[in-house]
Amino acid sequence: MEHTISDGQVPSPAYDFRTYDQVWRRVTPGVDPFSSDPSAAGMTEAPQSAAPAAPPAAQAASGAVPAPRQEVGGNESALPGAEPNPCCMGTNAQDSVEVLEGFIQEELAGSRCCQSLACHVRSQTAARLFRRFACEKQAAAREMCGAYYLITGTRYAPAVTVEHMHWGSLTEALRSCYHQEACGGLNYARASDETTDLCLTKLFGQLSEQAYRRAEDVMSLLGKLIC
């Protein structure tokens, strides 16, 4: 049988493979390159590729149930806000709910009282002081309303009744205001010590310091007016 090669020459029927056999033996001595056994020829069988996944229609026909798909984002119950007993504003703060209600009512009533004083006093310095007090008390009430909602999950709607108080002079009004702020600072400090909730402890402590600063401002203004 003739064998045709690229240059057009025709080799003899007994084609000589001895040259390639010698090269093979130099590279891998002791291995038979013409063995029908792949392991004897120094080769390994090609790994079988994994069978392609069947389409959904084929899975349904065969009765196979696909694995459940995991949703991205995780379980909502694991979020901090969904914990049944969070570290702050949780069970430990339940005992302070009525205290919060009383403080909210006092701050809102004090805010309205300071607004009224700011509109009736002649001293511009005192008017600015009362307006600032009114804003601070309003902000404190809102912050405690937020704490109330975190603890109970419900909004607190206070029913505030403002007493119409009359003072004979500005100094008498400042004297009354001083005692209210000083007592407020003391009550906040006591509430901070009594609660076992860490967040409420911090909140009441901040409000106590704020009330004492207002009392100091009143004392400073009162000293300028009477001396």
Side-chain angles (χ1 to χ4, degrees):
M1 181 177 180
E2 295 183 356
H3 298 271
T4 305
I5 57 179
S6 59
D7 56 1
Q9 298 179 358
V10 178
S12 62
Y15 194 83
D16 190 4
F17 288 97
R18 288 176 297 179
T19 302
Y20 299 99
D21 189 16
Q22 293 174 0
V23 174
W24 183 278
R25 292 184 184 278
R26 290 177 184 175
V27 177
T28 55
V31 177
D32 185 4
F34 304 106
S35 175
S36 59
D37 186 4
S39 61
M43 298 181 294
T44 57
E45 296 182 358
Q48 296 181 356
S49 59
Q59 293 179 0
S62 61
V65 180
R69 181 180 179 183
Q70 295 182 355
E71 297 292 337
V72 179
N75 189 3
E76 292 183 356
S77 62
L79 297 177
E83 292 180 1
N85 186 20
C87 59
C88 272
M89 303 299 182
T91 303
N92 293 337
Q94 292 289 339
D95 296 337
S96 302
V97 170
E98 293 184 0
V99 176
L100 272 175
E101 294 176 353
F103 282 150
I104 293 172
Q105 293 177 359
E106 289 181 3
E107 293 292 359
L108 291 178
S111 177
R112 295 183 181 182
C113 180
C114 289
Q115 290 176 357
S116 178
L117 285 172
C119 295
H120 292 86
V121 296
R122 296 181 179 180
S123 171
Q124 295 298 319
T125 302
R128 286 193 297 269
L129 188 68
F130 286 132
R131 282 193 293 266
R132 179 167 64 84
F133 287 0
C135 292
E136 290 181 357
K137 289 176 174 293
Q138 185 73 24
R142 290 175 178 174
E143 194 169 2
M144 286 188 288
C145 282
Y148 183 92
Y149 180 81
L150 290 174
I151 298 170
T152 64
T154 58
R155 296 182 179 181
Y156 179 65
V160 180
T161 57
V162 181
E163 298 180 4
H164 294 282
M165 304 180 69
H166 299 279
W167 295 277
S169 62
L170 176 58
T171 55
E172 292 181 3
L174 289 174
R175 181 172 180 268
S176 176
C177 183
Y178 172 85
H179 288 298
Q180 290 178 359
E181 295 299 334
C183 290
L186 177 60
N187 291 332
Y188 278 127
R190 288 176 176 174
S192 178
D193 293 336
E194 292 175 358
T195 183
T196 57
D197 185 89
L198 296 178
C199 294
L200 279 182
T201 298
K202 181 179 179 181
L203 175 60
F204 290 152
Q206 292 175 348
L207 295 178
S208 176
E209 294 177 359
Q210 191 178 82
Y212 278 126
R213 284 197 301 267
R214 287 196 294 264
E216 292 174 358
D217 292 339
V218 172
M219 182 183 293
S220 176
L221 178 59
L222 187 59
K224 296 178 181 179
L225 294 176
I226 61 178
C227 294

